[in-house]
Amino acid sequence: MEFKLKKTVGELVLANPGLLPVFEELGIDYCCGGNVPLDEACRNANVSVEQVGRMFEERSAFAQSRERDWSSEPMFGLIAYIVNHHHYFTRREMVRLDELLHKVCTAHGEKHSELLRIRDLFRSLSDELLLHMAREEQVLFPYITDLEKRLTRHEPVLAPAFGTVLNPVRMMMQEHDSAGATLKLIRKLAADYSVPADACMSWFALYQGMQEFEQDLHRHIHLENNLLFPRAAKLEERAELTAATA
């Protein structure tokens, strides 16, 4: 993507919010240095304008790839996608957004107490999601992958320690509901992510990032609740029927 080099970094961010994580990753100051033209900001950060454009396009392509239809593809591929894209994105953004929350709360928390509540809720949510994703990656997902592999190869299926896949699935879905409720409360406290008149660019970046975080988590939960988990339950039923008729 080509950018007008003499447009300021602040103007470009307002027109293309997807540039926010790109600028942060490359160390381009869009907050206090928001009035600097892009070409000058790139020189100050020792990066090229072409690199900015390339990273922006890659992130845009990543967003489009999330619309892939996984309904008829092997579950191990869907699981790999969830881990490599959604879990990766969630972990990365939780760190980035926590840093932004600290920055914005330090600057504006005394006057805007809702920011302190948002910070506490987001940190609690982050702790829960880290544990949630670890359970999926270490227990549930390996079982589903092994189940699919064994049925494909017509091998005996091993009984899981948790009895049936429905048990961890039920727990994961309850935790999904809890995460969704927390995000709704954060959105309410943030007034649907509308920044006040005295907000700085970091505040704008925070709310933009939290909206993207919420949207990605919604897609993430959809793939698990509505696609992966029901398919895993049906596969386990098939395994039980196969064992009963063997």
Side-chain angles (χ1 to χ4, degrees), residues 137-151:
E137 293 172 10
Q138 296 170 19
V139 179
L140 180 57
F141 289 173
Y143 169 71
I144 295 174
T145 301
D146 184 69
L147 176 65
E148 183 178 49
K149 179 184 71 175
R150 287 177 177 275
L151 280 176

Side-chain angles (χ1 to χ4, degrees), residues 17 20 66 89 93 96-97 100 118 122 183 186-188 190-195 203-219:
L20 288 169
R66 289 182 290 181
F89 176 86
E93 288 300 288
R96 185 178 76 89
L97 292 174
L100 277 172
I118 290 171
F122 188 77
L183 284 174
I186 289 174
R187 175 176 281 276
K188 182 178 180 180
D192 282 331
Y193 296 115
S194 59
V195 295
W203 197 338
F204 175 85
L206 171 66
Y207 276 9
Q208 178 64 37
M210 294 197 78
Q211 287 188 83
E212 292 173 354
F213 182 87
E214 180 184 60
Q215 291 166 3
D216 185 83
L217 194 62
H218 286 164
R219 296 188 185 99

Side-chain angles (χ1 to χ4, degrees), residues 3-12 15 36-39:
F3 299 106
K4 293 183 179 180
L5 301 185
K6 297 305 176 183
K7 279 214 167 202
T8 68
V9 174
E11 289 172 339
L12 287 169
V36 175
L38 177 62
D39 55 351

